[in-house]
mmCIF file of all heavy atoms in Angstrom:
data_model
loop_
_atom_site.group_PDB
_atom_site.id
_atom_site.type_symbol
_atom_site.label_atom_id
_atom_site.label_comp_id
_atom_site.label_asym_id
_atom_site.label_seq_id
_atom_site.Cartn_x
_atom_site.Cartn_y
_atom_site.Cartn_z
ATOM 1 N N HIS A 16 0.872 -1.280 -0.037
ATOM 2 C CA HIS A 16 0.047 -0.059 0.026
ATOM 3 C C HIS A 16 0.917 1.248 -0.053
ATOM 4 O O HIS A 16 0.436 2.357 -0.484
ATOM 5 C CB HIS A 16 -1.019 -0.013 1.137
ATOM 6 C CG HIS A 16 -0.402 0.338 2.486
ATOM 7 N ND1 HIS A 16 0.266 -0.706 3.185
ATOM 8 C CD2 HIS A 16 -0.253 1.424 3.164
ATOM 9 C CE1 HIS A 16 0.748 -0.235 4.390
ATOM 10 N NE2 HIS A 16 0.407 1.097 4.376
ATOM 11 N N ARG A 17 2.022 1.208 0.506
ATOM 12 C CA ARG A 17 3.011 2.330 0.442
ATOM 13 C C ARG A 17 3.481 2.567 -1.006
ATOM 14 O O ARG A 17 3.549 3.819 -1.340
ATOM 15 C CB ARG A 17 4.191 2.181 1.438
ATOM 16 C CG ARG A 17 3.747 2.106 2.887
ATOM 17 C CD ARG A 17 4.815 1.604 3.763
ATOM 18 N NE ARG A 17 4.427 1.323 5.089
ATOM 19 C CZ ARG A 17 4.454 2.144 6.093
ATOM 20 N NH1 ARG A 17 5.003 3.391 6.017
ATOM 21 N NH2 ARG A 17 3.990 1.802 7.273
ATOM 22 N N ILE A 18 3.750 1.616 -1.616
ATOM 23 C CA ILE A 18 4.143 1.728 -3.011
ATOM 24 C C ILE A 18 3.067 2.235 -3.910
ATOM 25 O O ILE A 18 3.193 3.204 -4.625
ATOM 26 C CB ILE A 18 4.585 0.253 -3.662
ATOM 27 C CG1 ILE A 18 5.872 -0.169 -2.995
ATOM 28 C CG2 ILE A 18 4.720 0.428 -5.140
ATOM 29 C CD1 ILE A 18 6.172 -1.599 -3.393
ATOM 30 N N LEU A 19 1.772 1.784 -3.731
ATOM 31 C CA LEU A 19 0.626 2.262 -4.454
ATOM 32 C C LEU A 19 0.341 3.714 -4.116
ATOM 33 O O LEU A 19 -0.153 4.404 -5.005
ATOM 34 C CB LEU A 19 -0.548 1.296 -4.348
ATOM 35 C CG LEU A 19 -0.334 -0.042 -4.926
ATOM 36 C CD1 LEU A 19 -1.669 -0.893 -4.830
ATOM 37 C CD2 LEU A 19 0.164 -0.004 -6.255
ATOM 38 N N ARG A 20 0.436 4.055 -2.846
ATOM 39 C CA ARG A 20 0.240 5.440 -2.505
ATOM 40 C C ARG A 20 1.143 6.384 -3.172
ATOM 41 O O ARG A 20 0.627 7.418 -3.715
ATOM 42 C CB ARG A 20 0.405 5.637 -0.913
ATOM 43 C CG ARG A 20 0.098 6.950 -0.479
ATOM 44 C CD ARG A 20 0.343 7.052 0.968
ATOM 45 N NE ARG A 20 1.831 6.677 1.305
ATOM 46 C CZ ARG A 20 2.169 6.357 2.498
ATOM 47 N NH1 ARG A 20 1.323 6.326 3.519
ATOM 48 N NH2 ARG A 20 3.488 6.045 2.638
ATOM 49 N N ASP A 21 2.341 6.013 -3.377
ATOM 50 C CA ASP A 21 3.192 6.851 -4.093
ATOM 51 C C ASP A 21 3.088 6.800 -5.585
ATOM 52 O O ASP A 21 3.081 7.889 -6.357
ATOM 53 C CB ASP A 21 4.755 6.575 -3.752
ATOM 54 C CG ASP A 21 5.150 6.890 -2.341
ATOM 55 O OD1 ASP A 21 4.487 7.618 -1.802
ATOM 56 O OD2 ASP A 21 6.178 6.332 -1.911
ATOM 57 N N VAL A 22 2.714 5.648 -6.074
ATOM 58 C CA VAL A 22 2.619 5.501 -7.671
ATOM 59 C C VAL A 22 1.303 6.232 -8.044
ATOM 60 O O VAL A 22 1.224 6.898 -9.064
ATOM 61 C CB VAL A 22 2.434 3.927 -7.929
ATOM 62 C CG1 VAL A 22 1.927 3.850 -9.344
ATOM 63 C CG2 VAL A 22 3.776 3.335 -7.858
ATOM 64 N N TRP A 23 0.211 6.150 -7.228
ATOM 65 C CA TRP A 23 -1.061 6.778 -7.590
ATOM 66 C C TRP A 23 -1.364 8.124 -7.026
ATOM 67 O O TRP A 23 -2.410 8.758 -7.166
ATOM 68 C CB TRP A 23 -2.180 5.852 -7.266
ATOM 69 C CG TRP A 23 -2.238 4.699 -8.162
ATOM 70 C CD1 TRP A 23 -1.816 3.445 -7.904
ATOM 71 C CD2 TRP A 23 -2.871 4.615 -9.347
ATOM 72 N NE1 TRP A 23 -1.928 2.600 -8.965
ATOM 73 C CE2 TRP A 23 -2.756 3.356 -9.887
ATOM 74 C CE3 TRP A 23 -3.632 5.487 -10.106
ATOM 75 C CZ2 TRP A 23 -3.158 2.908 -11.092
ATOM 76 C CZ3 TRP A 23 -4.096 5.051 -11.383
ATOM 77 C CH2 TRP A 23 -3.863 3.737 -11.924
ATOM 78 N N ALA A 24 -0.238 8.731 -6.522
ATOM 79 C CA ALA A 24 -0.437 10.194 -5.852
ATOM 80 C C ALA A 24 -0.562 11.236 -6.993
ATOM 81 O O ALA A 24 0.020 11.047 -8.048
ATOM 82 C CB ALA A 24 0.768 10.448 -5.005
ATOM 83 N N ASN A 25 -1.300 12.248 -6.612
ATOM 84 C CA ASN A 25 -1.324 13.378 -7.610
ATOM 85 C C ASN A 25 -0.098 14.064 -7.558
ATOM 86 O O ASN A 25 0.654 14.077 -6.556
ATOM 87 C CB ASN A 25 -2.443 14.378 -7.138
ATOM 88 C CG ASN A 25 -3.898 13.857 -7.553
ATOM 89 O OD1 ASN A 25 -3.939 13.246 -8.478
ATOM 90 N ND2 ASN A 25 -4.807 14.286 -6.781
ATOM 91 N N GLU A 26 0.235 14.785 -8.601
ATOM 92 C CA GLU A 26 1.501 15.505 -8.718
ATOM 93 C C GLU A 26 1.410 16.821 -7.884
ATOM 94 O O GLU A 26 0.514 17.595 -8.139
ATOM 95 C CB GLU A 26 1.853 15.813 -10.194
ATOM 96 C CG GLU A 26 3.140 16.611 -10.341
ATOM 97 C CD GLU A 26 3.446 17.009 -11.788
ATOM 98 O OE1 GLU A 26 2.469 17.190 -12.587
ATOM 99 O OE2 GLU A 26 4.592 17.089 -12.073
ATOM 100 N N VAL A 27 2.342 16.906 -7.006
ATOM 101 C CA VAL A 27 2.339 18.162 -6.142
ATOM 102 C C VAL A 27 3.811 18.555 -6.149
ATOM 103 O O VAL A 27 4.763 17.797 -5.801
ATOM 104 C CB VAL A 27 1.988 17.775 -4.712
ATOM 105 C CG1 VAL A 27 2.138 19.103 -3.849
ATOM 106 C CG2 VAL A 27 0.635 17.300 -4.738
ATOM 107 N N VAL A 28 4.129 19.790 -6.573
ATOM 108 C CA VAL A 28 5.396 20.286 -6.682
ATOM 109 C C VAL A 28 5.599 21.313 -5.552
ATOM 110 O O VAL A 28 4.831 22.352 -5.527
ATOM 111 C CB VAL A 28 5.707 20.928 -8.093
ATOM 112 C CG1 VAL A 28 7.070 21.512 -8.096
ATOM 113 C CG2 VAL A 28 5.469 19.856 -9.152
ATOM 114 N N TYR A 29 6.499 21.107 -4.678
ATOM 115 C CA TYR A 29 6.817 22.086 -3.573
ATOM 116 C C TYR A 29 7.728 23.204 -4.175
ATOM 117 O O TYR A 29 8.786 22.906 -4.663
ATOM 118 C CB TYR A 29 7.475 21.416 -2.513
ATOM 119 C CG TYR A 29 7.952 22.326 -1.377
ATOM 120 C CD1 TYR A 29 7.131 22.991 -0.639
ATOM 121 C CD2 TYR A 29 9.249 22.570 -1.171
ATOM 122 C CE1 TYR A 29 7.464 23.796 0.357
ATOM 123 C CE2 TYR A 29 9.776 23.393 -0.297
ATOM 124 C CZ TYR A 29 8.879 24.056 0.526
ATOM 125 O OH TYR A 29 9.229 24.953 1.520
ATOM 126 N N VAL A 30 7.280 24.410 -3.972
ATOM 127 C CA VAL A 30 8.159 25.475 -4.373
ATOM 128 C C VAL A 30 8.464 26.214 -3.221
ATOM 129 O O VAL A 30 7.663 26.890 -2.470
ATOM 130 C CB VAL A 30 7.341 26.464 -5.406
ATOM 131 C CG1 VAL A 30 8.100 27.656 -5.682
ATOM 132 C CG2 VAL A 30 6.879 25.728 -6.557
ATOM 133 N N PRO A 31 9.831 26.263 -2.841
ATOM 134 C CA PRO A 31 10.240 26.920 -1.620
ATOM 135 C C PRO A 31 10.159 28.412 -1.594
ATOM 136 O O PRO A 31 10.360 29.005 -2.696
ATOM 137 C CB PRO A 31 11.664 26.495 -1.289
ATOM 138 C CG PRO A 31 12.124 26.053 -2.703
ATOM 139 C CD PRO A 31 10.967 25.608 -3.474
ATOM 140 N N GLN A 32 9.769 28.975 -0.546
ATOM 141 C CA GLN A 32 9.623 30.408 -0.513
ATOM 142 C C GLN A 32 10.954 31.045 -0.158
ATOM 143 O O GLN A 32 11.759 30.446 0.558
ATOM 144 C CB GLN A 32 8.565 30.922 0.584
ATOM 145 C CG GLN A 32 7.172 30.366 0.275
ATOM 146 C CD GLN A 32 6.674 30.937 -0.998
ATOM 147 O OE1 GLN A 32 6.689 32.122 -1.292
ATOM 148 N NE2 GLN A 32 6.017 30.023 -1.791
ATOM 149 N N PRO A 33 11.271 32.194 -0.639
ATOM 150 C CA PRO A 33 12.531 32.858 -0.323
ATOM 151 C C PRO A 33 12.681 33.166 1.205
ATOM 152 O O PRO A 33 11.685 33.468 1.755
ATOM 153 C CB PRO A 33 12.585 34.111 -1.196
ATOM 154 C CG PRO A 33 11.223 34.332 -1.591
ATOM 155 C CD PRO A 33 10.533 33.052 -1.627
ATOM 156 N N PHE A 34 13.801 32.957 1.739
ATOM 157 C CA PHE A 34 13.972 33.206 3.081
ATOM 158 C C PHE A 34 13.888 34.786 3.477
ATOM 159 O O PHE A 34 14.411 35.529 2.731
ATOM 160 C CB PHE A 34 15.445 32.750 3.600
ATOM 161 C CG PHE A 34 15.749 33.081 4.938
ATOM 162 C CD1 PHE A 34 15.157 32.267 6.008
ATOM 163 C CD2 PHE A 34 16.508 34.051 5.343
ATOM 164 C CE1 PHE A 34 15.401 32.566 7.249
ATOM 165 C CE2 PHE A 34 16.812 34.348 6.610
ATOM 166 C CZ PHE A 34 16.271 33.589 7.624
ATOM 167 N N GLN A 35 13.154 35.103 4.467
ATOM 168 C CA GLN A 35 13.087 36.296 4.986
ATOM 169 C C GLN A 35 13.434 36.196 6.401
ATOM 170 O O GLN A 35 12.968 35.372 7.177
ATOM 171 C CB GLN A 35 11.676 36.810 4.853
ATOM 172 C CG GLN A 35 11.430 37.241 3.446
ATOM 173 C CD GLN A 35 9.998 37.990 3.264
ATOM 174 O OE1 GLN A 35 9.211 37.881 4.242
ATOM 175 N NE2 GLN A 35 9.784 38.680 2.215
ATOM 176 N N ALA A 36 14.216 37.154 6.921
ATOM 177 C CA ALA A 36 14.601 37.171 8.300
ATOM 178 C C ALA A 36 13.389 37.407 9.189
ATOM 179 O O ALA A 36 12.439 38.137 8.755
ATOM 180 C CB ALA A 36 15.606 38.304 8.590
ATOM 181 N N PRO A 37 13.242 36.802 10.432
ATOM 182 C CA PRO A 37 12.079 37.078 11.252
ATOM 183 C C PRO A 37 11.838 38.415 11.499
ATOM 184 O O PRO A 37 10.691 38.846 11.634
ATOM 185 C CB PRO A 37 12.400 36.263 12.561
ATOM 186 C CG PRO A 37 13.425 35.300 12.079
ATOM 187 C CD PRO A 37 14.232 35.879 11.012
ATOM 188 N N THR A 38 12.813 39.386 11.533
ATOM 189 C CA THR A 38 12.658 40.734 11.881
ATOM 190 C C THR A 38 11.914 41.422 10.663
ATOM 191 O O THR A 38 11.190 42.398 10.939
ATOM 192 C CB THR A 38 13.892 41.473 12.245
ATOM 193 O OG1 THR A 38 14.838 41.301 11.118
ATOM 194 C CG2 THR A 38 14.473 40.894 13.424
ATOM 195 N N GLN A 39 12.054 40.840 9.443
ATOM 196 C CA GLN A 39 11.293 41.518 8.403
ATOM 197 C C GLN A 39 9.872 41.044 8.321
ATOM 198 O O GLN A 39 9.111 41.709 7.722
ATOM 199 C CB GLN A 39 11.967 41.042 7.070
ATOM 200 C CG GLN A 39 13.393 41.593 6.823
ATOM 201 C CD GLN A 39 14.117 41.024 5.603
ATOM 202 O OE1 GLN A 39 13.516 40.066 5.048
ATOM 203 N NE2 GLN A 39 15.109 41.753 5.154
ATOM 204 N N LEU A 40 9.546 39.986 9.063
ATOM 205 C CA LEU A 40 8.162 39.559 8.974
ATOM 206 C C LEU A 40 7.320 40.028 10.156
ATOM 207 O O LEU A 40 6.133 39.879 10.294
ATOM 208 C CB LEU A 40 8.161 38.021 9.146
ATOM 209 C CG LEU A 40 8.860 37.231 8.106
ATOM 210 C CD1 LEU A 40 8.916 35.741 8.321
ATOM 211 C CD2 LEU A 40 8.155 37.407 6.684
ATOM 212 N N MET A 41 8.000 40.829 11.093
ATOM 213 C CA MET A 41 7.311 41.370 12.256
ATOM 214 C C MET A 41 6.382 42.496 11.859
ATOM 215 O O MET A 41 6.774 43.442 11.123
ATOM 216 C CB MET A 41 8.345 41.902 13.286
ATOM 217 C CG MET A 41 9.118 40.829 13.908
ATOM 218 S SD MET A 41 10.324 41.378 15.114
ATOM 219 C CE MET A 41 10.222 43.131 15.280
ATOM 220 N N THR A 42 5.070 42.442 12.179
ATOM 221 C CA THR A 42 4.108 43.345 11.945
ATOM 222 C C THR A 42 3.385 43.694 13.255
ATOM 223 O O THR A 42 3.273 42.842 14.138
ATOM 224 C CB THR A 42 3.128 42.939 10.900
ATOM 225 O OG1 THR A 42 2.489 41.767 11.311
ATOM 226 C CG2 THR A 42 3.849 42.812 9.556
ATOM 227 N N ASP A 43 2.795 44.939 13.329
ATOM 228 C CA ASP A 43 1.975 45.170 14.470
ATOM 229 C C ASP A 43 0.471 44.724 14.079
ATOM 230 O O ASP A 43 0.275 44.046 13.191
ATOM 231 C CB ASP A 43 1.928 46.671 14.809
ATOM 232 C CG ASP A 43 1.352 47.590 13.673
ATOM 233 O OD1 ASP A 43 0.875 47.042 12.642
ATOM 234 O OD2 ASP A 43 1.485 48.825 13.734
ATOM 235 N N GLU A 44 -0.438 45.069 15.068
ATOM 236 C CA GLU A 44 -1.776 44.611 15.000
ATOM 237 C C GLU A 44 -2.582 45.123 13.798
ATOM 238 O O GLU A 44 -3.507 44.579 13.286
ATOM 239 C CB GLU A 44 -2.636 44.903 16.255
ATOM 240 C CG GLU A 44 -2.716 46.392 16.498
ATOM 241 C CD GLU A 44 -1.641 47.003 17.271
ATOM 242 O OE1 GLU A 44 -0.792 46.257 17.768
ATOM 243 O OE2 GLU A 44 -1.651 48.227 17.418
ATOM 244 N N ARG A 45 -2.046 46.211 13.178
ATOM 245 C CA ARG A 45 -2.653 46.739 11.875
ATOM 246 C C ARG A 45 -1.987 46.235 10.587
ATOM 247 O O ARG A 45 -2.301 46.656 9.537
ATOM 248 C CB ARG A 45 -2.523 48.230 11.921
ATOM 249 C CG ARG A 45 -3.364 48.924 12.922
ATOM 250 C CD ARG A 45 -3.338 50.377 12.865
ATOM 251 N NE ARG A 45 -4.086 50.989 14.055
ATOM 252 C CZ ARG A 45 -3.966 52.200 14.383
ATOM 253 N NH1 ARG A 45 -3.150 53.056 13.814
ATOM 254 N NH2 ARG A 45 -4.626 52.635 15.453
ATOM 255 N N GLY A 46 -0.950 45.370 10.753
ATOM 256 C CA GLY A 46 -0.207 44.792 9.600
ATOM 257 C C GLY A 46 0.843 45.642 9.063
ATOM 258 O O GLY A 46 1.452 45.321 8.103
ATOM 259 N N ARG A 47 1.225 46.656 9.893
ATOM 260 C CA ARG A 47 2.353 47.430 9.441
ATOM 261 C C ARG A 47 3.687 46.908 9.941
ATOM 262 O O ARG A 47 3.746 46.279 11.022
ATOM 263 C CB ARG A 47 2.248 48.982 9.919
ATOM 264 C CG ARG A 47 1.029 49.644 9.364
ATOM 265 C CD ARG A 47 0.906 51.030 9.883
ATOM 266 N NE ARG A 47 0.747 50.959 11.233
ATOM 267 C CZ ARG A 47 0.489 51.938 12.071
ATOM 268 N NH1 ARG A 47 0.432 53.197 11.637
ATOM 269 N NH2 ARG A 47 0.440 51.847 13.363
ATOM 270 N N HIS A 48 4.757 47.313 9.277
ATOM 271 C CA HIS A 48 6.064 46.773 9.737
ATOM 272 C C HIS A 48 6.480 47.402 11.072
ATOM 273 O O HIS A 48 6.322 48.560 11.321
ATOM 274 C CB HIS A 48 7.084 47.256 8.653
ATOM 275 C CG HIS A 48 8.581 46.954 8.973
ATOM 276 N ND1 HIS A 48 9.008 45.651 8.972
ATOM 277 C CD2 HIS A 48 9.596 47.717 9.399
ATOM 278 C CE1 HIS A 48 10.229 45.590 9.357
ATOM 279 N NE2 HIS A 48 10.574 46.817 9.626
ATOM 280 N N VAL A 49 7.004 46.528 11.921
ATOM 281 C CA VAL A 49 7.498 47.073 13.242
ATOM 282 C C VAL A 49 9.007 47.307 13.098
ATOM 283 O O VAL A 49 9.829 46.572 12.569
ATOM 284 C CB VAL A 49 7.336 45.895 14.311
ATOM 285 C CG1 VAL A 49 7.924 46.251 15.674
ATOM 286 C CG2 VAL A 49 5.899 45.569 14.501
ATOM 287 N N GLN A 50 9.286 48.616 13.490
ATOM 288 C CA GLN A 50 10.702 49.018 13.369
ATOM 289 C C GLN A 50 11.599 48.387 14.325
ATOM 290 O O GLN A 50 11.289 48.213 15.548
ATOM 291 C CB GLN A 50 10.728 50.578 13.625
ATOM 292 C CG GLN A 50 12.041 51.188 13.236
ATOM 293 C CD GLN A 50 11.985 52.637 13.407
ATOM 294 O OE1 GLN A 50 11.146 53.225 14.077
ATOM 295 N NE2 GLN A 50 12.998 53.381 12.794
ATOM 296 N N THR A 51 12.645 47.727 13.899
ATOM 297 C CA THR A 51 13.675 46.985 14.719
ATOM 298 C C THR A 51 14.609 48.065 15.365
ATOM 299 O O THR A 51 14.698 49.187 14.997
ATOM 300 C CB THR A 51 14.397 46.027 13.839
ATOM 301 O OG1 THR A 51 15.179 46.734 12.901
ATOM 302 C CG2 THR A 51 13.522 45.023 13.276
ATOM 303 N N MET A 52 15.295 47.573 16.381
ATOM 304 C CA MET A 52 16.303 48.373 16.996
ATOM 305 C C MET A 52 17.382 48.932 16.066
ATOM 306 O O MET A 52 17.685 50.038 16.147
ATOM 307 C CB MET A 52 16.924 47.645 18.199
ATOM 308 C CG MET A 52 17.884 48.401 19.003
ATOM 309 S SD MET A 52 17.080 49.795 19.778
ATOM 310 C CE MET A 52 16.295 49.134 21.207
ATOM 311 N N GLU A 53 17.785 47.977 15.204
ATOM 312 C CA GLU A 53 18.849 48.466 14.192
ATOM 313 C C GLU A 53 18.341 49.481 13.241
ATOM 314 O O GLU A 53 18.998 50.418 12.964
ATOM 315 C CB GLU A 53 19.247 47.216 13.347
ATOM 316 C CG GLU A 53 20.018 46.226 14.116
ATOM 317 C CD GLU A 53 19.342 44.828 14.252
ATOM 318 O OE1 GLU A 53 18.354 44.707 13.607
ATOM 319 O OE2 GLU A 53 19.863 43.982 14.899
ATOM 320 N N GLU A 54 17.126 49.450 12.853
ATOM 321 C CA GLU A 54 16.464 50.417 12.030
ATOM 322 C C GLU A 54 16.289 51.748 12.746
ATOM 323 O O GLU A 54 16.552 52.868 12.211
ATOM 324 C CB GLU A 54 15.085 50.021 11.463
ATOM 325 C CG GLU A 54 15.185 48.887 10.445
ATOM 326 C CD GLU A 54 13.834 48.350 10.048
ATOM 327 O OE1 GLU A 54 12.843 48.635 10.763
ATOM 328 O OE2 GLU A 54 13.862 47.563 9.150
ATOM 329 N N TYR A 55 15.880 51.631 14.004
ATOM 330 C CA TYR A 55 15.732 52.892 14.829
ATOM 331 C C TYR A 55 17.079 53.626 15.039
ATOM 332 O O TYR A 55 17.161 54.754 14.937
ATOM 333 C CB TYR A 55 15.145 52.541 16.126
ATOM 334 C CG TYR A 55 14.943 53.718 17.101
ATOM 335 C CD1 TYR A 55 13.988 54.584 16.859
ATOM 336 C CD2 TYR A 55 15.835 53.890 18.133
ATOM 337 C CE1 TYR A 55 13.778 55.711 17.695
ATOM 338 C CE2 TYR A 55 15.649 54.928 18.987
ATOM 339 C CZ TYR A 55 14.699 55.844 18.798
ATOM 340 O OH TYR A 55 14.470 56.936 19.651
ATOM 341 N N VAL A 56 18.192 52.778 15.435
ATOM 342 C CA VAL A 56 19.520 53.474 15.608
ATOM 343 C C VAL A 56 20.000 53.925 14.303
ATOM 344 O O VAL A 56 20.546 55.085 14.290
ATOM 345 C CB VAL A 56 20.376 52.390 16.255
ATOM 346 C CG1 VAL A 56 21.854 52.964 16.307
ATOM 347 C CG2 VAL A 56 20.026 51.996 17.567
ATOM 348 N N ALA A 57 19.725 53.315 13.226
ATOM 349 C CA ALA A 57 20.344 53.815 12.015
ATOM 350 C C ALA A 57 19.586 54.951 11.388
ATOM 351 O O ALA A 57 19.905 55.616 10.437
ATOM 352 C CB ALA A 57 20.445 52.643 10.990
ATOM 353 N N GLY A 58 18.361 55.156 11.933
ATOM 354 C CA GLY A 58 17.498 56.201 11.408
ATOM 355 C C GLY A 58 16.748 55.799 10.163
ATOM 356 O O GLY A 58 16.123 56.719 9.507
#
């Protein structure tokens, strides 16, 4: 049944998403970007 599960499976192609640092993904409750400490210090 493991062989047949793989043989008869639908084609699914995984497309990896580009890496984004966790600090780039940070948003506030309104969905806006949260300014990191490095961005604040650098202006």
